[in-house]
Amino acid sequence: MIETENILGAFRDFLKDHRGFLSPDALNAHPAKGDQDDCGDPALAWMSPGALPDPKTGCIIGVIDDAIPFVHQRFTLPGNLSRMAAVWLQDARPRAGRTTDLPFGAEWRGAELSDLLAGDMGGEDAIYRHTGAVDMTRPATPSGAFETGHGAAVAPLAAGFDPSCRRARNHPVIAVCLPPRITADSTGALAPVPILAGILFIINRARRLCRFMERQGHGPARLPVVINISLGLTAGSRDGSSLLERFMDAVSAQQVADLDPVHFVLPAGNHRQDRLRARLLPGQSVGWRLPPDDTTINAIEIWGPPQDDPPCGGLQITLTVPGLGPATTAFTKPGQCSILSGPDGIPLARAYYTPQQTRGGRWRDGIAVIATPTCPERLGDPFAPPGEWRVGIAKGLSGARHDLSVQRDAVIRGFRRGARQSWFQDPAYRSHDPSGFPIPSDDKNGGPSLVIRQDTINTYATGDWPLRAGAVCGQGNDAAIYTALLDADSLGGDIRPGDCMVPVDRARNSPGMIVRGRDSGSFTLASGTSLAAPQLTRWLARQLSEGMTPADRAAIRRLAWNETTPNQILPSTATPVIGLSARFKDY
């Protein structure tokens, strides 16, 4: 069971130091108690009567992302009725005169969104401005200001229907729009607490929607919930011990009072070929390439094997900067920081000793290394030399394997430019075969390499319960070459790109699929397992709506197997492929 105090402590820390995460005026100074009963207040109605789902066949779809287009036509029913039960704009100003239990941001509910859609607001853009989803006076540019955003593609894939589709009404939506600064942080290090808050919001509002339905005379209502989180990390311990993963496991395993089971769907990850993972034994080292002209920090994490005793400095690393000699840490207790400086005394990198306890009560040593940018933004700022650094595990430790991960450092459209992705370098790593085709797995590399493709799974998705979606190409159902591989150790020797696979790319040489933009009628091309997860969310919600009751991840995979045909199966990965394109022509 996850410790409640850990979650509360994370929230307190987040609210105490919200600078850089939330706009200053997004905080709600006096939130109401979370158990307030508003089911009978007409001013706080959850959904219009004509939009309420059937309590026997309904399934709530939750989406946590940025820039969710909550008044898009695909989230409506005939008569401009919104299928959105509730939307939480986490970085918006709290609504004046509205009592809320939210610690920050603003909430809008389905009935009032229906009124806005049916009124004379002047279109979707005007509604986004009116609700605070798009406010160009904010300190951070809102993600909803962009016509083609991540959440604008993900949410309609997960829960968008033609308004006339008979299934639409049975899938009310509860959405959480993350703050733009969380999206701008490509490492994902700032996201867990806002995501945790979003999960709590979706579960709380789902329960209250069911009570609202009962008060409207619909009889007992215990709807299942499928929550899509198309976000992830490239660095981390990858053992299911993070606060977010343990919370999702606890919710899935113990169920929620007054609701049917809650399921989570996440992307497998897109970085199989990006050389962001390595494995070392004591005494070994690997190259860490820092690109030039990078105005952002670069970071890696090193994790030791599980151990029974609390760490006390058992893990030490050696860092070699181009042009300088090797330097080895000397940690003795958690929380210590070691600074690597150049000959002039200017800091080049910092190493933090960050061990953590696993779910089973054991411990793992951990070190995070953060290098200063290779290009200073201002004259006089310290900067690190670009080129090949060396990261090694100090000798004298046990012969067990140590895991290394590079944090993602990508340029995200609309946000700060200048980021350059660093990566691990090993001469034994082969990216392409002699014919020019990408090498898909480590066993076909032509020899052992310290840099690996295996275990590149999204770090948010290594818990026991969430379903992990991989991407395949529509022509041939070949696994997309970028789809991350799950670790063999956690699968009993089986290596596969996700628990279930969904077509995303049109073909190997034609990546991408058509996705929707923010405004009704707009579209673009996009790719990645972030688009596989919402399609799998949609499929699972339909299964639950039709009475299927899979108990866990293995049962969902068996259900997916039953829905596939022999020519849809990937023999090399033993993974079911859900051919959604034929099933969701109403999209």
Side-chain angles (χ1 to χ4, degrees):
M1 172 112 181
I2 187 155
E3 301 87 348
T4 303
E5 185 56 35
N6 286 347
I7 296 178
L8 294 177
F11 276 117
R12 285 194 293 265
D13 292 343
F14 179 84
L15 294 176
K16 185 185 302 181
D17 188 18
H18 66 278
R19 292 168 297 180
F21 313 120
L22 297 171
S23 298
D25 56 355
L27 288 179
N28 179 13
H30 304 289
K33 291 184 178 180
D35 58 353
Q36 61 173 331
D37 182 8
D38 55 10
C39 291
D41 188 343
L44 301 175
W46 290 96
M47 302 182 76
S48 302
L52 290 173
D54 187 326
K56 296 180 181 179
T57 58
C59 177
I60 298 170
I61 298 177
V63 182
I64 301 176
D65 216 296
D66 72 336
I68 295 174
F70 51 89
V71 292
H72 195 286
Q73 182 203 34
R74 293 286 159 156
F75 298 123
T76 65
L77 296 171
N80 286 322
L81 298 181
S82 175
R83 288 176 39 238
M84 288 279 169
V87 179
W88 182 14
L89 309 175
Q90 289 193 336
D91 197 51
R93 295 185 182 90
R95 298 178 62 181
R98 173 68 64 88
T99 301
T100 179
D101 55 356
L102 299 177
F104 47 87
E107 176 185 7
W108 291 81
R109 297 187 181 170
E112 54 188 345
L113 292 177
S114 295
D115 291 340
L116 293 176
L117 286 166
D120 56 357
M121 288 294 299
E124 296 172 13
D125 278 338
I127 295 177
Y128 291 131
R129 293 193 296 272
H130 176 75
T131 57
V134 176
D135 184 350
M136 302 307 292
T137 66
R138 310 292 280 163
T141 302
S143 303
F146 307 118
E147 180 56 45
T148 55
H150 190 267
V154 167
L157 278 175
F161 290 85
D162 187 289
S164 62
C165 176
R166 60 181 178 82
R167 297 194 187 105
R169 184 169 174 176
N170 275 336
H171 295 295
V173 186
I174 302 177
V176 177
C177 295
L178 297 172
R181 287 187 178 93
I182 300 299
T183 305
D185 174 38
S186 62
T187 69
L190 306 177
V193 171
I195 292 175
L196 270 170
I199 294 172
L200 290 170
F201 173 84
I202 291 173
I203 293 173
N204 178 275
R205 272 32 179 182
R207 294 180 64 188
R208 287 157 72 173
L209 173 62
C210 290
R211 305 294 77 74
F212 177 77
M213 292 171 59
E214 291 171 351
R215 291 201 179 189
Q216 297 297 308
H218 287 260
R222 290 178 56 93
L223 301 183
V225 182
V226 184
I227 300 177
N228 184 93
I229 307 174
S230 283
L231 304 164
L233 293 176
T234 60
S237 59
R238 282 184 172 81
D239 55 14
S241 61
S242 70
L243 189 65
L244 178 59
E245 292 171 297
R246 289 157 59 200
F247 182 70
M248 288 189 290
D249 278 348
V251 170
S252 299
Q254 299 177 25
Q255 300 190 11
V256 178
D258 304 326
L259 284 177
D260 269 353
V262 178
H263 297 274
F264 295 90
V265 182
L266 290 90
N270 303 326
H271 299 282
R272 188 203 309 190
Q273 302 284 33
D274 290 351
R275 290 178 284 180
L276 305 185
R277 292 280 286 153
R279 283 177 175 164
L280 300 179
L281 296 175
Q284 290 183 319
S285 65
V286 68
W288 177 27
R289 286 287 182 90
L290 269 63
D293 195 31
D294 187 353
T295 60
T296 62
I297 62 170
N298 289 282
I300 60 173
E301 294 181 9
I302 302 95
W303 294 95
Q307 60 188 54
D308 294 327
D309 299 324
C312 56
L315 175 61
Q316 308 293 340
I317 64 166
T318 297
L319 196 63
T320 306
V321 179
L324 300 178
T328 302
T329 57
F331 296 123
T332 58
K333 62 181 179 179
Q336 289 181 326
C337 174
S338 180
I339 300 176
L340 175 63
S341 300
D344 54 3
I346 296 178
L348 303 178
R350 289 175 169 82
Y352 299 87
Y353 188 37
T354 57
Q356 74 176 26
Q357 195 168 20
T358 67
R359 293 177 296 174
R362 304 184 74 190
W363 292 85
R364 291 190 71 182
D365 259 323
I367 294 177
V369 178
I370 301 176
T372 56
T374 59
C375 177
E377 289 189 342
R378 293 171 294 272
L379 289 175
D381 286 353
F383 63 95
E388 183 167 315
W389 296 36
R390 300 292 298 180
V391 182
I393 307 300
K395 297 180 180 180
L397 302 176
S398 65
R401 183 190 74 197
H402 292 70
D403 297 319
L404 285 74
S405 303
V406 179
Q407 280 192 351
R408 184 179 178 223
D409 185 28
V411 173
I412 297 178
R413 181 170 52 186
F415 297 100
R416 182 177 59 174
R417 302 288 177 177
R420 304 284 186 272
Q421 181 66 59
S422 64
W423 68 93
F424 290 124
Q425 175 68 22
D426 182 1
Y429 183 90
R430 302 285 183 266
S431 60
H432 292 77
D433 64 21
S435 300
F437 290 100
I439 297 175
S441 58
D442 296 326
D443 60 346
K444 296 180 178 168
N445 186 66
S449 170
L450 299 176
V451 181
I452 59 174
R453 301 167 182 84
Q454 182 180 323
D455 194 24
T456 45
I457 186 70
N458 172 10
T459 308
Y460 286 158
T462 60
D464 293 332
W465 287 82
L467 193 64
R468 299 161 292 197
V472 298
C473 301
Q475 296 294 327
N477 279 337
D478 297 320
I481 199 64
Y482 54 77
T483 296
L485 295 177
L486 279 67
D487 189 10
D489 293 344
S490 64
L491 299 169
D494 181 22
I495 301 175
R496 60 173 182 261
D499 298 306
C500 297
M501 309 289 285
V502 183
V504 173
D505 299 303
R506 290 161 290 177
R508 279 193 175 186
N509 61 349
S510 184
M513 64 179 295
I514 297 175
V515 295
R516 301 191 180 277
R518 183 195 65 176
D519 295 333
S520 298
S522 62
F523 66 93
T524 187
L525 288 176
S527 184
T529 58
S530 287
L531 306 182
Q535 294 184 77
L536 192 55
T537 294
R538 185 190 187 102
W539 171 83
L540 180 56
R542 198 197 89 186
Q543 301 301 315
L544 299 175
S545 180
E546 294 178 352
M548 301 297 179
T549 57
D552 53 22
R553 185 159 65 199
I556 296 173
R557 292 191 72 245
R558 289 193 296 269
L559 180 61
W561 272 115
N562 294 336
E563 287 238 337
T564 60
T565 59
N567 64 358
Q568 290 177 308
I569 296 172
L570 294 177
S572 62
T573 58
T575 304
V577 179
I578 308 298
L580 294 184
S581 57
R583 290 182 171 84
F584 292 121
K585 291 181 179 178
D586 56 280
Y587 167 67

